[in-house]
Amino acid sequence: MSVTKVHARQIFDSRGNPTVEVDLYTDKGRFRAAVPSGASTGVHEAVELRDGDKANYVGKGVFKAVNNVNTVLGPELIKSGLKVTQQKEIDDLLIKIDGTPNKGKLGANAILGVSIACVEAGAAEKGVPVYQHLAELAGVKPPYVMPCPAFNVINGGSHAGNKLAFQEFMLLPTGATSFTEAMKIGTETYHTLKKVISAKYGIDAVNVGDEGGFAPNVSGADESLELLMEAISKAGYEGKIKIALDVASSEFYKDGKYDLDFKNPNSDPQKWISGTELADLYLSYVKKYPIVSIEDPFDQDDWEAWTHFTKNSSVQIVGDDLTVTNPLRIKTAIEKKACNGLLLKINQIGTISESIQAAQLAQSDGWGVMVSHRSGETENTIIADLVVALGTGQIKTGAPARSERVAKYNALLRIEGEIKDGVYAGDKGLSAGLTAPALLKI
């Protein structure tokens, strides 16, 4: 079954910024996809095409990208006569039409909208759920693996107005026996944390950030970690919850050093620290707290610090700004032994086929793979299907609050209810130092 019509429009993401939505039609009906957008974006990411017209939508309109779908990508896809089940061929066609290495001509946001809509249409054409269609495209056989969620519950970095340099502090219910129980543990601990923060810092400290987490006025990472430990203990889940960090350190890398006071315009350059000193700080946290994963611990081009830390650490070290879901960057990271985990963001690379390829390349070297949302999200839930399809066992899509985050968790609850012989990943999707994730050995 081929595509009969493609129509894109400008809609809004969870931050009130314009983004692209694509409706794709076949004889089976209409299939809709919406594209997310990041705040702390890596310089090596595929290009998100914005209009740049400051007089409208603060320069963030996406009418150029929408127009590229309606006048270029859509008509060419229809003309090709490709079946909607031919995802790889469709994605290759979209890439070829753009003709640039970073999708800069037509926009990764335009291309991804079409790519996701084709996945939805392909699943309908085969009469199977989207996760099953994606698993078949990726060559992954059942039993399906339900992921361990990583709930971002304390925010700092570019996502928050406090002094905290590190961007995300996450709770991972590795001790749950099902995704449903993981949600119970995660939500109960989230509500407990809310009470703990409210009692310590006041009611305005529990306003939620872009991803549903809290941004209390803490002085630094130690204080945030202590808050998490207190909430875990009070909720009654000690030993069942691990902690993950997303440092997003490219945001505070200056002149070869790291400035943990980067939000202070008068920060003292004498107090900026080296990559090795920052690595030692992480190692001290890993000794003291149940931390199992650290994302973007160093700048996206500070390869030396990455390699040094990965060699000396026993946890999962996740590349996000470092690898940007790009097979070429992942290959370099594998060669340099720079990390042992991939953050998979579909809009960093711009097609579903390349996202699958990126995940499999990382897994071929024994990495963990964490499928991820963006800070500017929509109600689209394709990443819930993708993480089950790939069987990577890890997803981060915010706190269990704000509908654009919870939409993904609810989609996963539905999937778990549908697949009767699925397994819950727990900590088996995590790599640890030189040890590959247990899931990869199954």
Side-chain angles (χ1 to χ4, degrees), residues 400-423:
R402 297 187 51 138
S403 291
E404 78 280 357
R405 314 291 149 190
V406 179
K408 282 70 161 168
Y409 296 130
N410 286 342
L412 285 162
L413 287 170
R414 290 179 206 116
I415 292 170
E416 184 168 68
E418 207 172 285
I419 52 178
K420 295 294 175 259
D421 58 347
V423 292

Side-chain angles (χ1 to χ4, degrees), residues 146-151 171-191 235-242 400 409-410 412-417 422-427:
M146 293 305 299
C148 176
F151 298 110
L171 299 173
L172 283 65
T174 53
T177 55
S178 66
F179 184 78
T180 301
E181 192 194 355
M183 288 304 298
K184 178 178 189 285
I185 292 172
T187 52
E188 288 178 6
T189 309
Y190 178 72
H191 292 303
Y237 290 120
E238 277 180 299
K240 287 200 167 187
I241 298 177
K242 302 293 187 200
Y409 296 130
N410 286 342
L412 285 162
L413 287 170
R414 290 179 206 116
I415 292 170
E416 184 168 68
V423 292
Y424 174 65
D427 62 3

Side-chain angles (χ1 to χ4, degrees), residues 1-5 25-27 77-78 81-84 125:
M1 194 78 68
S2 308
V3 177
T4 55
K5 180 183 166 189
Y25 295 80
T26 70
D27 290 351
L77 180 56
I78 293 166
L82 286 167
K83 292 188 175 70
V84 285
E125 181 61 29

Side-chain angles (χ1 to χ4, degrees), residues 233-305:
S233 169
K234 282 190 167 154
Y237 290 120
E238 277 180 299
K240 287 200 167 187
I241 298 177
K242 302 293 187 200
I243 293 170
L245 307 176
D246 172 10
V247 182
S249 60
S250 292
E251 303 286 317
F252 55 84
Y253 186 62
K254 300 175 181 174
D255 309 324
K257 296 269 182 139
Y258 294 90
D259 175 15
L260 295 177
D261 191 24
F262 80 105
K263 293 190 220 177
N264 171 6
N266 304 312
S267 113
D268 179 3
Q270 298 298 310
K271 292 187 176 159
W272 301 358
I273 60 175
S274 69
T276 310
E277 288 169 311
L278 188 54
D280 289 342
L281 183 64
Y282 296 140
L283 291 170
S284 72
Y285 290 147
V286 170
K287 268 199 186 114
K288 193 173 175 187
Y289 303 101
I291 293 169
V292 290
S293 180
I294 303 177
E295 181 187 327
D296 278 351
F298 306 101
D299 179 71
Q300 55 210 7
D301 292 312
D302 191 3
W303 291 100
E304 204 178 306

